[in-house]
Amino acid sequence: MFSKILIANRGEIACRIIQTAHRMGIRCVAVYSEADANARHVAMADEAFHIGPAPSSESYLRADKIIEIAKQSGAQAIHPGYGFLSENTGFAEACEANDLVFIGPPSSAIAAMGSKSAAKAIMEKAGVPLVPGYHGDDQSPDTLRKEAEKCGFPLLLKAVAGGGGKGMRVVERMEDFDDALAAAKRESKNAFGNPDMLIERYLTQPRHVEIQVFCDQDGNGVYLAERDCSVQRRHQKVLEEAPAPGLSEETRKAMGEAAVKAAQAINYVGAGTVEFLYDVDGSFFFMEMNTRLQVEHPVTEMVTGQDLVEWQLKVAWGEPLPLEQSQVKTRGHALEARIYAEDPDQDFLPATGNLRYLSTPDESAHVRVDTGVTEGDDISIHYDPMIAKLIVWDETRDQAINRMVQALEHYRIAGVKTNIRFLHALADAQPFREADLTTGFIEDHRELLFPKSRLDTHKALVLAAGFVLEQRKSREVVSTDPWSPFGRQNSWRMNSEYAQPLQLQVGEEIHDLKILERDDRYQVFVGDSVYNLTARLDDDYMQAVINGHRISIHGNLHNDQLVLFYEGDTFNCTVYKESYGFEEMAGEGSLAAPMNGAIVAVQAKVGDQVTAGQTLVIMEAMKMEHAIKAPADGVVTEIFFLEGDQVSEGAELIAIEVEDTEANQEEAG
Ligand code: MV4
């Protein structure tokens, strides 16, 4: 077996590969870009080499540098992971030319699947079912028109050079064909430098079912069950599972055998995936072959009990396949959810930021977390926004779904927007439980996937108040002067009892709360309602009782940003400075940027008299505007930024000299 390999990748897949390699006693060399100097994959590796600046084109795609490092470090093989150089024929060849084993198929097999029409021709010859249509070289409009008539409508024009959903166009009737063809050719010429098209009958309700195949260097091949990856968004997989619900044993076997034939037709070696369109009537058709280990491979591992990276290493070393077909067994059901840094409420706009709080579900035989990040890491614009893969297993699909729902509730992230709540709604949606799967699942069930919060606003505000007060108490510095009015920072006089105001901003809305505290019990006034609250905070875990209803939640308060986690949902609010205490407000006031963003407007100038709550600056971050308000009455003494400037979280924006007025005294002390 190899004694040392290089991993030409980053993130979760680099970590995943290192984990198995280490278990097998293999040393691992990592490579990293400037942005990844402290990344988890670098920390896990035995040694690591810096390969360039953050952009992948200057780092993880630098085949030349990577090969040089492999040779210099004494690595015998390179594992490319997925993405980056994994399906690059030039890289596979360069490895070979430098006496390095490429842990993947021969470059000829990668090349054979590069063209859709060539791939279809190979598959047709091998007897793998194809969607009826045309994949010939004659691209004259007349021929294509005749083929379209033969195929029938609706049909799909696919770019020969396309892939992953790019360069496709549905044509509903012959009258539209000429225009659609011209447009599709133009697009494909621009996008891929090749205008050639193939024609297929358009399946309107297909599922994406793919077979995991493996071949060794002696030409033996097996399939390791299938995965259903129908739940996608813009050709990005979101939820994957194994086995595919409702697939008959005969179909599974036929599909598996077709996939092995497909792989053997191109002299495949290693891990590969043959994707099929699976139609409502149970028929299936070859779609594409992916010549790499895939993101969703863990669901196959969970149901087969096999380690696919171990298989890859063994096959690359020249060993035969660990199992024969008859020995491949599956048990139970596995699901994988991809946790992305993105904002589902803003059309899944990729999100960036710092993972200031990260708590993952406990791992067990039922729950697995594949990730490349740790708390405190930045999610940058440079790479794929996937934060982690959450994988669960149980005896039945229904139980596995329950596991997934629960595990998502235990996956807590603050600092970066994620799709966790969306995944929670998806996994818990009735049509998903009923395995009503098609590639249109997300579009067809939008109304279920963006649910209203499970917490009513008042309860959330009361919990937020409890969290803020309890955390403040736990961090309170006891004043050395027993007579100081600040000996208890959180005490204010109101109606002759000790009370304090607390301002919480949720979205655009500011909520003014008043809190009375007596013997470790609080009375929280929100609007016209009063809530009795007791709360106990243990680090990030709060047990609260609100009017007799016990609620246990986790939370994170960082500067003035509070996030509460509740049943897979988050409640976010800004805690206003003035409630921090008079001491902090006295003399020089300050206003800090609550997040990275741009200054959109400055609504005050030096010397202005401003009043508490008045908007002074408007910031924009992630396409949302945020008002920065005066914490107290005072005079603006300095403005540190201009409109249009970019500022980072915590940067002081404006200085205010707070007046020692009646109003401020009333507010604060
Ligand atoms: C299709 C199809 C319907 N009919 N081909 C999309 C990605 C590319 N690999 C092939 N794709 C499709 N090909 C025929 N003849 C529907 C899709 C398709 C799809 C396939 C799998 C998963 C998600 C999808 C989403 C939209 C369309």
mmCIF file of all heavy atoms in Angstrom, residues 116 120 131-132 155-156 158 163-166 168 170 199-209 229-237 275-277 285 287-288 438-440, ligand 1:
data_model
loop_
_atom_site.group_PDB
_atom_site.id
_atom_site.type_symbol
_atom_site.label_atom_id
_atom_site.label_comp_id
_atom_site.label_asym_id
_atom_site.label_seq_id
_atom_site.Cartn_x
_atom_site.Cartn_y
_atom_site.Cartn_z
ATOM 1 N N LYS A 116 -21.052 14.726 -24.714
ATOM 2 C CA LYS A 116 -22.314 14.017 -24.478
ATOM 3 C C LYS A 116 -22.665 13.082 -25.626
ATOM 4 O O LYS A 116 -23.169 11.982 -25.408
ATOM 5 C CB LYS A 116 -23.448 15.022 -24.296
ATOM 6 C CG LYS A 116 -23.519 15.632 -22.914
ATOM 7 C CD LYS A 116 -24.707 16.578 -22.863
ATOM 8 C CE LYS A 116 -25.309 16.764 -21.499
ATOM 9 N NZ LYS A 116 -25.085 15.816 -20.475
ATOM 10 N N LYS A 120 -22.871 9.069 -25.460
ATOM 11 C CA LYS A 120 -24.086 8.339 -25.815
ATOM 12 C C LYS A 120 -23.795 7.241 -26.839
ATOM 13 O O LYS A 120 -24.360 6.143 -26.761
ATOM 14 C CB LYS A 120 -25.150 9.310 -26.360
ATOM 15 C CG LYS A 120 -25.848 10.093 -25.243
ATOM 16 C CD LYS A 120 -27.026 10.911 -25.751
ATOM 17 C CE LYS A 120 -28.297 10.079 -25.840
ATOM 18 N NZ LYS A 120 -29.507 10.918 -26.014
ATOM 19 N N VAL A 131 -32.167 7.797 -23.646
ATOM 20 C CA VAL A 131 -33.414 8.490 -23.969
ATOM 21 C C VAL A 131 -33.507 8.524 -25.492
ATOM 22 O O VAL A 131 -32.532 8.886 -26.154
ATOM 23 C CB VAL A 131 -33.408 9.944 -23.442
ATOM 24 C CG1 VAL A 131 -34.784 10.588 -23.650
ATOM 25 C CG2 VAL A 131 -33.017 10.004 -21.986
ATOM 26 N N PRO A 132 -34.673 8.163 -26.060
ATOM 27 C CA PRO A 132 -34.793 8.195 -27.514
ATOM 28 C C PRO A 132 -34.470 9.588 -28.038
ATOM 29 O O PRO A 132 -34.853 10.582 -27.421
ATOM 30 C CB PRO A 132 -36.265 7.855 -27.748
ATOM 31 C CG PRO A 132 -36.728 7.184 -26.497
ATOM 32 C CD PRO A 132 -35.891 7.714 -25.387
ATOM 33 N N LEU A 155 -39.522 18.025 -26.671
ATOM 34 C CA LEU A 155 -38.175 17.483 -26.769
ATOM 35 C C LEU A 155 -37.185 18.419 -26.099
ATOM 36 O O LEU A 155 -37.517 19.555 -25.753
ATOM 37 C CB LEU A 155 -37.798 17.206 -28.228
ATOM 38 C CG LEU A 155 -37.728 18.357 -29.237
ATOM 39 C CD1 LEU A 155 -36.506 19.229 -29.033
ATOM 40 C CD2 LEU A 155 -37.740 17.779 -30.653
ATOM 41 N N LEU A 156 -35.997 17.904 -25.913
ATOM 42 C CA LEU A 156 -34.971 18.679 -25.217
ATOM 43 C C LEU A 156 -33.755 18.785 -26.120
ATOM 44 O O LEU A 156 -33.258 17.771 -26.626
ATOM 45 C CB LEU A 156 -34.596 17.963 -23.908
ATOM 46 C CG LEU A 156 -33.696 18.685 -22.915
ATOM 47 C CD1 LEU A 156 -34.339 19.977 -22.425
ATOM 48 C CD2 LEU A 156 -33.405 17.781 -21.715
ATOM 49 N N LYS A 158 -29.938 19.519 -26.138
ATOM 50 C CA LYS A 158 -28.834 19.549 -25.171
ATOM 51 C C LYS A 158 -27.535 19.842 -25.890
ATOM 52 O O LYS A 158 -27.271 19.251 -26.948
ATOM 53 C CB LYS A 158 -28.672 18.181 -24.482
ATOM 54 C CG LYS A 158 -29.666 17.893 -23.382
ATOM 55 C CD LYS A 158 -29.306 16.590 -22.655
ATOM 56 C CE LYS A 158 -30.388 16.257 -21.625
ATOM 57 N NZ LYS A 158 -30.164 14.954 -20.976
ATOM 58 N N GLY A 163 -23.178 20.142 -19.818
ATOM 59 C CA GLY A 163 -23.131 19.215 -18.691
ATOM 60 C C GLY A 163 -23.674 19.907 -17.472
ATOM 61 O O GLY A 163 -23.689 21.143 -17.415
ATOM 62 N N GLY A 164 -24.145 19.107 -16.528
ATOM 63 C CA GLY A 164 -24.648 19.677 -15.280
ATOM 64 C C GLY A 164 -25.770 20.673 -15.502
ATOM 65 O O GLY A 164 -25.924 21.615 -14.728
ATOM 66 N N GLY A 165 -26.571 20.459 -16.578
ATOM 67 C CA GLY A 165 -27.737 21.314 -16.759
ATOM 68 C C GLY A 165 -27.484 22.542 -17.606
ATOM 69 O O GLY A 165 -28.417 23.262 -17.943
ATOM 70 N N LYS A 166 -26.224 22.772 -17.999
ATOM 71 C CA LYS A 166 -25.937 23.958 -18.825
ATOM 72 C C LYS A 166 -26.207 23.623 -20.295
ATOM 73 O O LYS A 166 -25.921 22.522 -20.742
ATOM 74 C CB LYS A 166 -24.483 24.391 -18.635
ATOM 75 C CG LYS A 166 -24.319 25.269 -17.400
ATOM 76 C CD LYS A 166 -22.862 25.697 -17.217
ATOM 77 C CE LYS A 166 -22.314 25.247 -15.890
ATOM 78 N NZ LYS A 166 -20.975 24.758 -15.896
ATOM 79 N N MET A 168 -29.220 23.605 -22.051
ATOM 80 C CA MET A 168 -30.399 22.786 -22.363
ATOM 81 C C MET A 168 -31.577 23.706 -22.718
ATOM 82 O O MET A 168 -31.702 24.795 -22.187
ATOM 83 C CB MET A 168 -30.816 21.921 -21.173
ATOM 84 C CG MET A 168 -29.709 21.018 -20.646
ATOM 85 S SD MET A 168 -30.339 19.650 -19.662
ATOM 86 C CE MET A 168 -31.546 20.448 -18.632
ATOM 87 N N VAL A 170 -35.910 23.288 -23.703
ATOM 88 C CA VAL A 170 -37.090 22.476 -23.984
ATOM 89 C C VAL A 170 -37.822 23.077 -25.180
ATOM 90 O O VAL A 170 -37.984 24.304 -25.258
ATOM 91 C CB VAL A 170 -38.044 22.437 -22.766
ATOM 92 C CG1 VAL A 170 -39.288 21.603 -23.071
ATOM 93 C CG2 VAL A 170 -37.329 21.898 -21.535
ATOM 94 N N ILE A 199 -30.559 15.780 -29.521
ATOM 95 C CA ILE A 199 -32.010 15.895 -29.317
ATOM 96 C C ILE A 199 -32.467 14.708 -28.482
ATOM 97 O O ILE A 199 -32.047 13.573 -28.741
ATOM 98 C CB ILE A 199 -32.741 15.881 -30.689
ATOM 99 C CG1 ILE A 199 -32.325 17.107 -31.509
ATOM 100 C CG2 ILE A 199 -34.259 15.828 -30.506
ATOM 101 C CD1 ILE A 199 -32.852 17.075 -32.947
ATOM 102 N N GLU A 200 -33.291 14.974 -27.506
ATOM 103 C CA GLU A 200 -33.835 13.881 -26.685
ATOM 104 C C GLU A 200 -35.312 14.116 -26.436
ATOM 105 O O GLU A 200 -35.751 15.267 -26.327
ATOM 106 C CB GLU A 200 -33.129 13.826 -25.317
ATOM 107 C CG GLU A 200 -31.715 13.312 -25.378
ATOM 108 C CD GLU A 200 -31.095 13.167 -23.993
ATOM 109 O OE1 GLU A 200 -31.758 13.480 -22.984
ATOM 110 O OE2 GLU A 200 -29.927 12.746 -23.939
ATOM 111 N N ARG A 201 -36.054 13.045 -26.291
ATOM 112 C CA ARG A 201 -37.415 13.183 -25.803
ATOM 113 C C ARG A 201 -37.324 13.802 -24.413
ATOM 114 O O ARG A 201 -36.447 13.443 -23.631
ATOM 115 C CB ARG A 201 -38.072 11.800 -25.717
ATOM 116 C CG ARG A 201 -39.590 11.855 -25.730
ATOM 117 C CD ARG A 201 -40.166 10.456 -25.648
ATOM 118 N NE ARG A 201 -40.229 10.027 -24.266
ATOM 119 C CZ ARG A 201 -40.044 8.780 -23.854
ATOM 120 N NH1 ARG A 201 -39.757 7.823 -24.713
ATOM 121 N NH2 ARG A 201 -40.140 8.485 -22.584
ATOM 122 N N TYR A 202 -38.181 14.765 -24.134
ATOM 123 C CA TYR A 202 -38.117 15.434 -22.832
ATOM 124 C C TYR A 202 -38.994 14.705 -21.820
ATOM 125 O O TYR A 202 -40.197 14.578 -22.009
ATOM 126 C CB TYR A 202 -38.559 16.898 -22.980
ATOM 127 C CG TYR A 202 -38.525 17.668 -21.681
ATOM 128 C CD1 TYR A 202 -37.331 17.816 -20.971
ATOM 129 C CD2 TYR A 202 -39.676 18.257 -21.171
ATOM 130 C CE1 TYR A 202 -37.287 18.526 -19.786
ATOM 131 C CE2 TYR A 202 -39.646 18.974 -19.978
ATOM 132 C CZ TYR A 202 -38.445 19.104 -19.297
ATOM 133 O OH TYR A 202 -38.406 19.803 -18.124
ATOM 134 N N LEU A 203 -38.372 14.208 -20.769
ATOM 135 C CA LEU A 203 -39.132 13.560 -19.695
ATOM 136 C C LEU A 203 -39.579 14.661 -18.746
ATOM 137 O O LEU A 203 -38.760 15.443 -18.265
ATOM 138 C CB LEU A 203 -38.255 12.550 -18.957
ATOM 139 C CG LEU A 203 -37.442 11.566 -19.812
ATOM 140 C CD1 LEU A 203 -36.648 10.618 -18.910
ATOM 141 C CD2 LEU A 203 -38.350 10.767 -20.726
ATOM 142 N N THR A 204 -40.875 14.728 -18.467
ATOM 143 C CA THR A 204 -41.374 15.877 -17.701
ATOM 144 C C THR A 204 -41.310 15.679 -16.190
ATOM 145 O O THR A 204 -41.266 16.646 -15.448
ATOM 146 C CB THR A 204 -42.818 16.214 -18.102
ATOM 147 O OG1 THR A 204 -43.598 15.028 -17.971
ATOM 148 C CG2 THR A 204 -42.879 16.717 -19.533
ATOM 149 N N GLN A 205 -41.295 14.423 -15.738
ATOM 150 C CA GLN A 205 -41.293 14.189 -14.289
ATOM 151 C C GLN A 205 -40.212 13.189 -13.880
ATOM 152 O O GLN A 205 -40.510 12.224 -13.177
ATOM 153 C CB GLN A 205 -42.645 13.614 -13.858
ATOM 154 C CG GLN A 205 -43.821 14.481 -14.211
ATOM 155 C CD GLN A 205 -44.481 15.013 -12.980
ATOM 156 O OE1 GLN A 205 -45.157 14.297 -12.252
ATOM 157 N NE2 GLN A 205 -44.246 16.280 -12.699
ATOM 158 N N PRO A 206 -38.974 13.389 -14.323
ATOM 159 C CA PRO A 206 -37.982 12.350 -14.050
ATOM 160 C C PRO A 206 -37.438 12.441 -12.627
ATOM 161 O O PRO A 206 -37.581 13.466 -11.959
ATOM 162 C CB PRO A 206 -36.871 12.668 -15.055
ATOM 163 C CG PRO A 206 -36.912 14.154 -15.191
ATOM 164 C CD PRO A 206 -38.355 14.542 -15.018
ATOM 165 N N ARG A 207 -36.821 11.373 -12.185
ATOM 166 C CA ARG A 207 -36.011 11.398 -10.968
ATOM 167 C C ARG A 207 -34.559 11.208 -11.378
ATOM 168 O O ARG A 207 -34.269 10.624 -12.419
ATOM 169 C CB ARG A 207 -36.435 10.260 -10.026
ATOM 170 C CG ARG A 207 -37.678 10.607 -9.224
ATOM 171 C CD ARG A 207 -38.317 9.389 -8.626
ATOM 172 N NE ARG A 207 -37.456 8.715 -7.658
ATOM 173 C CZ ARG A 207 -37.825 7.624 -6.980
ATOM 174 N NH1 ARG A 207 -39.029 7.104 -7.162
ATOM 175 N NH2 ARG A 207 -37.001 7.060 -6.122
ATOM 176 N N HIS A 208 -33.682 11.733 -10.530
ATOM 177 C CA HIS A 208 -32.246 11.544 -10.747
ATOM 178 C C HIS A 208 -31.820 10.377 -9.865
ATOM 179 O O HIS A 208 -31.789 10.502 -8.647
ATOM 180 C CB HIS A 208 -31.501 12.832 -10.368
ATOM 181 C CG HIS A 208 -30.007 12.714 -10.380
ATOM 182 N ND1 HIS A 208 -29.199 13.601 -11.052
ATOM 183 C CD2 HIS A 208 -29.166 11.822 -9.810
ATOM 184 C CE1 HIS A 208 -27.935 13.246 -10.896
ATOM 185 N NE2 HIS A 208 -27.886 12.181 -10.135
ATOM 186 N N VAL A 209 -31.541 9.244 -10.496
ATOM 187 C CA VAL A 209 -31.070 8.080 -9.746
ATOM 188 C C VAL A 209 -29.710 7.702 -10.315
ATOM 189 O O VAL A 209 -29.559 7.580 -11.535
ATOM 190 C CB VAL A 209 -32.058 6.900 -9.844
ATOM 191 C CG1 VAL A 209 -31.520 5.679 -9.096
ATOM 192 C CG2 VAL A 209 -33.420 7.298 -9.274
ATOM 193 N N CYS A 229 -30.968 11.460 -6.074
ATOM 194 C CA CYS A 229 -30.540 12.857 -5.873
ATOM 195 C C CYS A 229 -31.503 13.796 -6.577
ATOM 196 O O CYS A 229 -31.110 14.804 -7.168
ATOM 197 C CB CYS A 229 -29.134 13.075 -6.419
ATOM 198 S SG CYS A 229 -27.933 11.840 -5.911
ATOM 199 N N SER A 230 -32.778 13.456 -6.540
ATOM 200 C CA SER A 230 -33.758 14.256 -7.275
ATOM 201 C C SER A 230 -33.957 15.639 -6.674
ATOM 202 O O SER A 230 -34.330 16.566 -7.389
ATOM 203 C CB SER A 230 -35.104 13.521 -7.298
ATOM 204 O OG SER A 230 -34.960 12.280 -7.951
ATOM 205 N N VAL A 231 -33.741 15.760 -5.373
ATOM 206 C CA VAL A 231 -33.996 17.053 -4.736
ATOM 207 C C VAL A 231 -32.814 17.984 -4.999
ATOM 208 O O VAL A 231 -31.782 17.915 -4.336
ATOM 209 C CB VAL A 231 -34.263 16.896 -3.226
ATOM 210 C CG1 VAL A 231 -34.597 18.248 -2.609
ATOM 211 C CG2 VAL A 231 -35.413 15.925 -2.993
ATOM 212 N N GLN A 232 -32.981 18.811 -6.021
ATOM 213 C CA GLN A 232 -31.922 19.709 -6.458
ATOM 214 C C GLN A 232 -32.489 21.105 -6.626
ATOM 215 O O GLN A 232 -33.687 21.292 -6.762
ATOM 216 C CB GLN A 232 -31.381 19.271 -7.827
ATOM 217 C CG GLN A 232 -30.954 17.826 -7.891
ATOM 218 C CD GLN A 232 -30.065 17.550 -9.089
ATOM 219 O OE1 GLN A 232 -29.857 18.400 -9.950
ATOM 220 N NE2 GLN A 232 -29.521 16.343 -9.137
ATOM 221 N N ARG A 233 -31.588 22.053 -6.641
ATOM 222 C CA ARG A 233 -31.956 23.443 -6.929
ATOM 223 C C ARG A 233 -30.959 23.972 -7.945
ATOM 224 O O ARG A 233 -29.775 24.010 -7.656
ATOM 225 C CB ARG A 233 -31.853 24.272 -5.653
ATOM 226 C CG ARG A 233 -32.938 25.271 -5.501
ATOM 227 C CD ARG A 233 -32.534 26.312 -4.475
ATOM 228 N NE ARG A 233 -32.348 27.562 -5.166
ATOM 229 C CZ ARG A 233 -31.194 28.074 -5.529
ATOM 230 N NH1 ARG A 233 -30.066 27.490 -5.232
ATOM 231 N NH2 ARG A 233 -31.141 29.202 -6.196
ATOM 232 N N ARG A 234 -31.426 24.340 -9.099
ATOM 233 C CA ARG A 234 -30.547 24.823 -10.165
ATOM 234 C C ARG A 234 -29.364 23.890 -10.375
ATOM 235 O O ARG A 234 -28.215 24.312 -10.382
ATOM 236 C CB ARG A 234 -30.024 26.228 -9.861
ATOM 237 C CG ARG A 234 -31.150 27.213 -9.717
ATOM 238 C CD ARG A 234 -30.727 28.585 -10.159
ATOM 239 N NE ARG A 234 -31.795 29.531 -9.949
ATOM 240 C CZ ARG A 234 -31.617 30.751 -9.463
ATOM 241 N NH1 ARG A 234 -30.411 31.164 -9.153
ATOM 242 N NH2 ARG A 234 -32.638 31.555 -9.315
ATOM 243 N N HIS A 235 -29.668 22.613 -10.467
ATOM 244 C CA HIS A 235 -28.669 21.568 -10.712
ATOM 245 C C HIS A 235 -27.641 21.432 -9.597
ATOM 246 O O HIS A 235 -26.589 20.836 -9.777
ATOM 247 C CB HIS A 235 -28.005 21.785 -12.077
ATOM 248 C CG HIS A 235 -29.019 21.852 -13.186
ATOM 249 N ND1 HIS A 235 -29.720 20.747 -13.598
ATOM 250 C CD2 HIS A 235 -29.489 22.896 -13.910
ATOM 251 C CE1 HIS A 235 -30.572 21.111 -14.550
ATOM 252 N NE2 HIS A 235 -30.470 22.402 -14.746
ATOM 253 N N GLN A 236 -27.961 21.970 -8.440
ATOM 254 C CA GLN A 236 -27.154 21.743 -7.237
ATOM 255 C C GLN A 236 -27.926 20.756 -6.374
ATOM 256 O O GLN A 236 -29.072 21.024 -6.004
ATOM 257 C CB GLN A 236 -27.001 23.045 -6.436
ATOM 258 C CG GLN A 236 -26.006 24.026 -7.003
ATOM 259 C CD GLN A 236 -24.585 23.612 -6.737
ATOM 260 O OE1 GLN A 236 -24.296 22.957 -5.742
ATOM 261 N NE2 GLN A 236 -23.682 23.967 -7.637
ATOM 262 N N LYS A 237 -27.295 19.654 -6.028
ATOM 263 C CA LYS A 237 -27.982 18.691 -5.175
ATOM 264 C C LYS A 237 -28.137 19.259 -3.775
ATOM 265 O O LYS A 237 -27.258 19.971 -3.285
ATOM 266 C CB LYS A 237 -27.198 17.380 -5.138
ATOM 267 C CG LYS A 237 -27.248 16.684 -6.489
ATOM 268 C CD LYS A 237 -26.259 15.557 -6.619
ATOM 269 C CE LYS A 237 -26.285 15.040 -8.051
ATOM 270 N NZ LYS A 237 -25.060 14.323 -8.406
ATOM 271 N N GLU A 275 -25.118 8.303 -13.898
ATOM 272 C CA GLU A 275 -26.390 8.971 -13.597
ATOM 273 C C GLU A 275 -27.456 8.539 -14.588
ATOM 274 O O GLU A 275 -27.206 8.507 -15.791
ATOM 275 C CB GLU A 275 -26.233 10.490 -13.706
ATOM 276 C CG GLU A 275 -25.247 11.096 -12.739
ATOM 277 C CD GLU A 275 -25.174 12.613 -12.871
ATOM 278 O OE1 GLU A 275 -25.631 13.166 -13.908
ATOM 279 O OE2 GLU A 275 -24.657 13.250 -11.954
ATOM 280 N N PHE A 276 -28.632 8.273 -14.059
ATOM 281 C CA PHE A 276 -29.762 7.916 -14.911
ATOM 282 C C PHE A 276 -30.926 8.843 -14.654
ATOM 283 O O PHE A 276 -31.115 9.338 -13.532
ATOM 284 C CB PHE A 276 -30.231 6.484 -14.605
ATOM 285 C CG PHE A 276 -29.237 5.420 -14.988
ATOM 286 C CD1 PHE A 276 -28.377 4.889 -14.034
ATOM 287 C CD2 PHE A 276 -29.163 4.948 -16.297
ATOM 288 C CE1 PHE A 276 -27.458 3.901 -14.373
ATOM 289 C CE2 PHE A 276 -28.250 3.959 -16.640
ATOM 290 C CZ PHE A 276 -27.392 3.430 -15.677
ATOM 291 N N LEU A 277 -31.714 9.054 -15.707
ATOM 292 C CA LEU A 277 -33.034 9.636 -15.523
ATOM 293 C C LEU A 277 -33.955 8.449 -15.295
ATOM 294 O O LEU A 277 -33.941 7.489 -16.071
ATOM 295 C CB LEU A 277 -33.464 10.399 -16.779
ATOM 296 C CG LEU A 277 -32.749 11.720 -17.040
ATOM 297 C CD1 LEU A 277 -33.050 12.205 -18.450
ATOM 298 C CD2 LEU A 277 -33.160 12.767 -16.014
ATOM 299 N N PHE A 285 -32.809 5.812 -18.129
ATOM 300 C CA PHE A 285 -31.985 6.171 -19.284
ATOM 301 C C PHE A 285 -30.669 6.777 -18.822
ATOM 302 O O PHE A 285 -30.658 7.593 -17.903
ATOM 303 C CB PHE A 285 -32.727 7.191 -20.158
ATOM 304 C CG PHE A 285 -34.132 6.790 -20.492
ATOM 305 C CD1 PHE A 285 -35.213 7.303 -19.768
ATOM 306 C CD2 PHE A 285 -34.386 5.871 -21.508
ATOM 307 C CE1 PHE A 285 -36.508 6.934 -20.066
ATOM 308 C CE2 PHE A 285 -35.685 5.496 -21.813
ATOM 309 C CZ PHE A 285 -36.757 6.020 -21.091
ATOM 310 N N MET A 287 -27.721 9.201 -18.401
ATOM 311 C CA MET A 287 -27.662 10.663 -18.484
ATOM 312 C C MET A 287 -26.213 11.125 -18.616
ATOM 313 O O MET A 287 -25.845 11.739 -19.593
ATOM 314 C CB MET A 287 -28.343 11.266 -17.253
ATOM 315 C CG MET A 287 -28.488 12.769 -17.273
ATOM 316 S SD MET A 287 -29.714 13.416 -16.090
ATOM 317 C CE MET A 287 -29.373 12.556 -14.575
ATOM 318 N N GLU A 288 -25.384 10.802 -17.623
ATOM 319 C CA GLU A 288 -23.981 11.224 -17.631
ATOM 320 C C GLU A 288 -23.209 10.252 -16.780
ATOM 321 O O GLU A 288 -23.790 9.556 -15.952
ATOM 322 C CB GLU A 288 -23.812 12.599 -16.943
ATOM 323 C CG GLU A 288 -24.151 13.787 -17.793
ATOM 324 C CD GLU A 288 -24.064 15.115 -17.058
ATOM 325 O OE1 GLU A 288 -23.306 15.217 -16.064
ATOM 326 O OE2 GLU A 288 -24.757 16.045 -17.485
ATOM 327 N N THR A 438 -39.325 14.230 -7.503
ATOM 328 C CA THR A 438 -38.983 14.496 -8.898
ATOM 329 C C THR A 438 -37.950 15.618 -8.860
ATOM 330 O O THR A 438 -37.753 16.245 -7.820
ATOM 331 C CB THR A 438 -40.169 14.989 -9.762
ATOM 332 O OG1 THR A 438 -40.521 16.310 -9.335
ATOM 333 C CG2 THR A 438 -41.356 14.071 -9.698
ATOM 334 N N THR A 439 -37.339 15.862 -10.029
ATOM 335 C CA THR A 439 -36.328 16.923 -10.058
ATOM 336 C C THR A 439 -36.958 18.294 -9.846
ATOM 337 O O THR A 439 -36.259 19.264 -9.616
ATOM 338 C CB THR A 439 -35.569 16.907 -11.393
ATOM 339 O OG1 THR A 439 -36.529 16.999 -12.448
ATOM 340 C CG2 THR A 439 -34.777 15.625 -11.544
ATOM 341 N N GLY A 440 -38.287 18.370 -9.909
ATOM 342 C CA GLY A 440 -38.955 19.648 -9.682
ATOM 343 C C GLY A 440 -39.429 19.820 -8.251
ATOM 344 O O GLY A 440 -40.193 20.739 -7.951
HETATM 345 C C1 MV4 B 1 -33.142 15.609 -19.066
HETATM 346 C C2 MV4 B 1 -34.347 15.919 -18.412
HETATM 347 C C3 MV4 B 1 -35.520 15.496 -19.005
HETATM 348 N N1 MV4 B 1 -35.482 14.814 -20.165
HETATM 349 N N2 MV4 B 1 -33.169 14.913 -20.226
HETATM 350 C C4 MV4 B 1 -30.308 18.096 -16.181
HETATM 351 C C5 MV4 B 1 -28.860 17.955 -15.907
HETATM 352 C C6 MV4 B 1 -28.339 17.173 -17.043
HETATM 353 N N3 MV4 B 1 -27.331 16.290 -16.585
HETATM 354 C C7 MV4 B 1 -29.503 16.445 -17.593
HETATM 355 N N4 MV4 B 1 -30.669 17.063 -17.057
HETATM 356 C C8 MV4 B 1 -31.913 16.699 -17.432
HETATM 357 N N5 MV4 B 1 -31.962 15.984 -18.582
HETATM 358 C C9 MV4 B 1 -34.323 14.536 -20.747
HETATM 359 N N6 MV4 B 1 -34.326 13.872 -21.909
HETATM 360 C C10 MV4 B 1 -34.307 16.636 -17.221
HETATM 361 C C11 MV4 B 1 -33.078 17.045 -16.733
HETATM 362 C C12 MV4 B 1 -33.123 17.781 -15.511
HETATM 363 C C13 MV4 B 1 -32.606 17.252 -14.324
HETATM 364 C C14 MV4 B 1 -32.010 16.005 -14.260
HETATM 365 C C15 MV4 B 1 -31.507 15.509 -13.083
HETATM 366 C C16 MV4 B 1 -31.599 16.267 -11.938
HETATM 367 C C17 MV4 B 1 -32.173 17.504 -11.953
HETATM 368 C C18 MV4 B 1 -32.674 18.015 -13.147
HETATM 369 C C19 MV4 B 1 -33.270 19.258 -13.154
HETATM 370 C C20 MV4 B 1 -33.758 19.764 -14.319
HETATM 371 C C21 MV4 B 1 -33.684 19.032 -15.494
#
